[in-house]
Amino acid sequence: MHTPSIFKNEDPEAIRAFLKENSFGILINQTNGKLWATHIPLEIETNADGKEILCGHISKLNPQGEGFTQNDQILAVFSGPHSYISSSWYDHENVPTWNYIAVHIYGRIKIVNHEAAVESLKKLVDKYEASSEKPVRVEDLSAKTMRQAHGIIAFEIEIDEIQATKKMSQNRDDVNYKNIITALEKTENPQSIAVAKEMEKCRK
C-alpha cells in the first residue's frame, strides 16, 4: 500500500485498537491462478507463543479455501471511516482529495483443527453478543446446531507485515484543518462525521 510518510500510522497500540474496532475485513489470496477475496471478520489475537495473529473462518463451500494449501500467502485489508474532501473548503486553490484509515496485513495462513475452530467461534460470538439483551453462547447451542461447525475452514494467520495509513489532512495548516472538520460535520453523512471526529482526535 503506497503511503506517504506523513500519513503512515506506526503506533502499534493505535493499529491494534483499530483492528479490534474494524475487524470486518477482506481476505485476499490466489486460488487456482485467480485472485479471490472474501469479506469476513478477522480477529486479532495473541497466540501461545506471544505472537499476534488473525483468526477467522470461511465456508468449506468457498473455493477460496483451495488456495490455502496451494500457497499460504495472504493479504487482509481493513477499512475505517472515509470521506471525500472538497477543495472548496480550503482558503486557497487546490485539488479535492479523500481522507481515510486503512490497514493492510500480509501473512501466512494455517488451517486449525475442529476443536480450535470451535474455540475461535466461542470468542467471536462472545465479542459480538456482549451488548445483546439476550446473549447467545456457543456453549448453549444444541449438538444439532453445532454440527454446522463442521462446515467451516477455520484458520490462523501469522502476521509478517503491517502497513497502516491514516490520511486525515495532516498536511493542512490549522485554519484549513478546522475548515475541513466544520464542513464534514455539516454533511450529515455518518462516514464524513466519523472522519471529522478522527481529525479532532489527531489535532487538539
Side-chain angles (χ1 to χ4, degrees):
M1 175 167 57
H2 171 66
T3 306
S5 58
I6 192 172
F7 302 131
K8 280 186 179 180
N9 182 359
E10 298 178 300
D11 180 346
E13 289 304 315
I15 294 170
R16 198 172 203 282
F18 172 84
L19 291 170
K20 282 185 172 294
E21 294 170 6
N22 300 274
S23 60
F24 193 73
I26 304 173
L27 182 71
I28 303 166
N29 76 339
Q30 190 173 66
T31 298
N32 298 324
K34 180 180 180 180
L35 288 174
W36 281 81
T38 301
H39 298 250
I40 51 172
L42 293 163
E43 302 295 326
I44 188 163
E45 296 183 11
T46 303
N47 66 15
D49 297 325
K51 293 182 179 179
E52 287 194 324
I53 58 172
L54 292 175
C55 297
H57 68 272
I58 63 171
S59 167
K60 284 184 178 178
L61 298 177
N62 186 337
Q64 185 176 25
E66 297 174 20
F68 296 165
T69 54
Q70 297 169 359
N71 183 344
D72 65 355
Q73 302 295 304
I74 64 89
L75 167 63
V77 175
F78 301 87
S79 297
H82 61 89
S83 180
Y84 176 75
I85 306 298
S86 171
S87 56
S88 68
W89 302 340
Y90 305 150
D91 62 6
H92 59 282
E93 184 178 26
N94 210 310
V95 294
T97 188
W98 210 277
N99 278 3
Y100 66 97
I101 302 176
V103 171
H104 288 191
I105 293 182
Y106 295 85
R108 286 164 286 129
I109 197 163
K110 180 183 76 172
I111 298 171
V112 301
N113 61 32
H114 178 70
E115 290 72 22
V118 172
E119 287 303 312
S120 180
L121 290 173
K122 288 178 182 178
K123 292 179 183 178
L124 184 67
V125 171
D126 286 348
K127 175 182 176 180
Y128 291 102
E129 288 286 342
S131 59
S132 297
E133 287 186 15
K134 298 178 180 179
V136 172
R137 295 175 71 248
V138 169
E139 294 89 334
D140 299 332
L141 297 177
S142 68
K144 179 181 177 181
T145 297
M146 284 306 298
R147 281 202 289 271
Q148 295 182 52
H150 289 283
I152 66 171
I153 302 171
F155 53 80
E156 295 178 353
I157 297 167
E158 186 172 329
I159 297 171
D160 291 329
E161 182 182 1
I162 297 178
Q163 298 176 358
T165 298
K166 188 171 187 177
K167 183 177 178 294
M168 289 286 146
S169 298
Q170 295 97 316
N171 55 335
R172 302 299 171 193
D173 60 41
D174 288 343
V175 171
N176 286 287
Y177 195 86
K178 182 60 179 175
N179 287 348
I180 294 168
I181 292 174
T182 301
L184 288 170
E185 291 173 338
K186 290 179 180 178
T187 64
E188 298 184 0
N189 180 298
Q191 287 281 354
S192 298
I193 293 170
V195 168
K197 289 179 179 178
E198 284 295 332
M199 290 180 65
E200 286 177 341
K201 293 178 190 176
C202 294
R203 192 181 296 184
K204 293 183 178 180

